[in-house]
Amino acid sequence: MQLNTRYGKFGGCYAPENLLNILTEIEDGFIRFIKDEEQLNGYHQLLKDFAGRETPLTYATNLSRKYDCEFYLKREDLLHGGAHKTNNTIGQLLLAKFLGKKRIIAETGAGQHGVATAMTAAKLGLDAEIYMGAVDIERQKTNVQRMKIFGATVHPVTSGGATLKDAINDAMRDWIKNSEDTYYCFGTAAGPHPFPSLVRFFQKVIGEETKRQLNALKIDSPDALFACVGGGSNAIGFYAPFLEDEDVKIFGAEPGGLSIESGEHAATLTQGTEGVFHGMHSLFLQNEEGQIKEPYSISAGLDYPGIGPEHAFLKDSGRVDYCSVTDREAILAFEELSLEEGIIPAIESAHAVSLAIKYAKDSKQKKIIVINISGRGDKDIDSYIKYKQGVN
């Protein structure tokens, strides 16, 4: 391996022996890809012309007035496909073509990575097959239809809890059988090396743009950044250019589910323990025997029992503060951003909005706060209605 495989003690490449050559091929190809000016120009051209970058940095007028802070929203919800996932799929599928692969497989939770993979594959003339948990298929029907319209085959996964964890398991099994001609487009900054490095690289455009846009507003340094954290791809891309800026506080909102005390949550960073799963050493929700526990979140995109290894390192080092946000708190933030700013966020993103509002309420001085709105909430309307029917 040529790239750094570890983030502190986390990360690594714990993959079956028959995948090691393929992972090395991907790492070698990635290094050549990012040094190839023509390939990188193609990536940035598609980000601009196909995905619609740059995304706006919106000043949240009403929220700012209400909490006496300066709120800015990085609008990844306006990216083609409706979420930040498109940055990663454009990069990885161009890499797949660069490596001569024609069949793409992917896993998805909320469906946004599946949609982004399917639509990018259509654009680039590749075949796409998506693994998705049966529970997630039921709560994200619109995204399943979108994948099919783009020509992708969707494989329902019924094992385990039938959510994202199980979809990754089945995608891995497919890849082990077909690795010679198939590229696995991993959806988040997790898994065996080199996927955390790849996804971070293709998502850091979020933070780089944010920094330029703030500088254009003559804001050298915001007081605080907020992002939601499931596997961690939107967050690590948003944080990356700010990690060396010590005066910028950085926060991650992870899914507290029904509550931490209930045990029905997916709060891996605050409640997880060290282990090895899905090819990486990181923090996971586990029982006393070391078996992976079923996570829970109202948000399909955050419903994962592990976390990308760089986030585990950032928690360990104290650089990023990770806090859990319950379903109820996320739904209240979902409603508040919709009512105050006319923006329906993904329930994933609403976790970050909730934590940012709490920070603003607790601040004694006026702060400049930037929230990454990682996706739009159209896909979550059914989940929202069911939640309201359940509690009202």
Side-chain angles (χ1 to χ4, degrees):
M1 297 290 181
Q2 300 173 61
L3 301 172
N4 183 18
T5 63
R6 295 276 179 178
Y7 303 90
K9 61 186 175 183
F10 300 105
C13 185
Y14 298 86
E17 191 172 352
N18 55 350
L19 281 183
L20 291 180
N21 286 340
I22 299 298
L23 289 165
T24 302
E25 178 191 10
I26 291 174
E27 183 190 44
D28 291 344
F30 173 66
I31 291 169
R32 287 187 284 118
F33 182 91
I34 62 177
K35 290 180 178 175
D36 187 319
E37 190 174 343
E38 184 179 347
Q39 294 297 327
L40 272 186
N41 286 342
Y43 167 63
H44 288 293
Q45 198 68 42
L46 280 175
L47 285 182
K48 177 176 178 288
D49 296 338
F50 178 65
R53 299 211 77 91
E54 63 181 40
T55 60
L57 184 69
T58 301
Y59 182 63
T61 310
N62 298 325
L63 214 58
S64 298
R65 186 185 305 119
K66 185 174 181 180
Y67 293 106
D68 194 28
C69 281
E70 302 289 321
F71 280 96
Y72 291 88
L73 310 174
K74 182 56 177 168
R75 302 292 306 280
E76 293 301 290
D77 57 314
L78 295 181
L79 199 66
H80 181 38
H84 68 289
K85 296 292 187 182
T86 310
N87 304 316
N88 176 45
T89 58
I90 290 176
Q92 287 206 57
L93 267 56
L94 284 174
L95 175 60
K97 287 194 78 165
F98 187 63
L99 293 172
K101 311 290 184 184
K102 295 183 178 176
R103 177 177 181 258
I104 306 298
I105 58 169
E107 84 297 331
T108 193
Q112 290 302 128
H113 177 56
V115 169
T117 301
M119 72 185 194
T120 306
K123 174 69 176 172
L124 297 180
L126 297 164
D127 295 328
E129 298 184 29
I130 312 297
Y131 287 87
M132 188 170 187
V135 169
D136 292 337
I137 285 176
E138 179 61 28
R139 56 182 171 176
Q140 299 291 341
K141 292 176 183 173
T142 303
N143 273 344
V144 174
Q145 288 304 315
R146 293 168 76 195
M147 289 178 231
K148 292 180 177 177
I149 289 170
F150 288 127
T153 300
V154 179
H155 297 286
V157 177
T158 56
S159 57
T163 58
L164 178 58
K165 166 179 71 70
D166 312 292
I168 293 175
N169 289 342
D170 276 22
M172 284 278 190
R173 290 188 193 101
D174 180 320
W175 199 32
I176 289 169
K177 289 181 192 169
N178 302 293
S179 57
E180 289 300 321
D181 66 349
T182 297
Y183 184 90
Y184 183 4
C185 183
F186 213 81
T188 193
H193 177 83
F195 285 119
S197 296
L198 263 66
V199 176
R200 183 191 205 271
F201 179 87
F202 293 128
Q203 291 292 4
K204 70 179 181 181
V205 63
I206 304 170
E208 290 172 341
E209 260 183 28
T210 302
K211 205 164 195 178
R212 284 200 304 273
Q213 290 167 323
L214 288 169
N215 289 341
L217 295 169
K218 302 192 184 310
I219 299 171
D220 293 332
S221 182
D223 291 298
L225 305 178
F226 291 84
C228 63
V229 184
S233 67
N234 92 89
I236 207 66
F238 185 46
Y239 299 163
F242 294 93
L243 288 173
E244 302 300 320
D245 300 345
E246 294 182 358
D247 52 342
V248 179
K249 292 184 179 297
I250 303 179
F251 296 88
E254 64 173 4
L258 299 182
S259 71
I260 296 300
E261 295 74 20
S262 73
E264 297 291 317
H265 60 79
T268 50
L269 281 154
T270 57
Q271 301 298 313
T273 54
E274 288 184 41
V276 173
F277 186 55
H278 285 159
M280 60 180 171
H281 175 207
S282 190
L283 298 173
F284 300 96
L285 298 178
Q286 305 171 81
N287 63 21
E288 292 179 354
E289 287 75 39
Q291 296 296 312
I292 298 297
K293 293 168 64 175
E294 292 296 336
Y296 163 77
S297 170
I298 188 174
S299 167
L302 303 182
D303 200 353
Y304 182 60
I307 184 68
E310 188 170 2
H311 286 290
F313 166 71
L314 291 171
K315 175 184 182 287
D316 210 33
S317 68
R319 178 64 186 95
V320 178
D321 289 329
Y322 295 93
C323 307
S324 63
V325 173
T326 65
D327 290 354
R328 180 177 180 278
E329 291 168 330
I331 289 294
L332 290 173
F334 176 93
E335 293 174 332
E336 186 163 6
L337 195 67
S338 302
L339 289 168
E340 296 290 348
E341 298 294 338
I343 297 168
I344 302 176
I347 294 179
E348 288 92 333
S349 314
H351 285 70
V353 175
S354 175
L355 192 60
I357 289 174
K358 183 175 187 305
Y359 174 79
K361 285 180 178 175
D362 293 342
S363 296
K364 295 187 175 14
Q365 297 178 325
K366 197 168 193 170
K367 302 289 187 183
I368 298 173
I369 294 168
V370 188
I371 310 169
N372 191 30
I373 305 299
S374 57
R376 70 187 190 207
D378 312 35
K379 67 181 178 59
D380 292 324
I381 299 301
D382 286 347
S383 296
Y384 171 73
I385 292 170
K386 286 178 182 175
Y387 179 85
K388 296 299 284 188
Q389 289 172 337
V391 296
N392 291 333

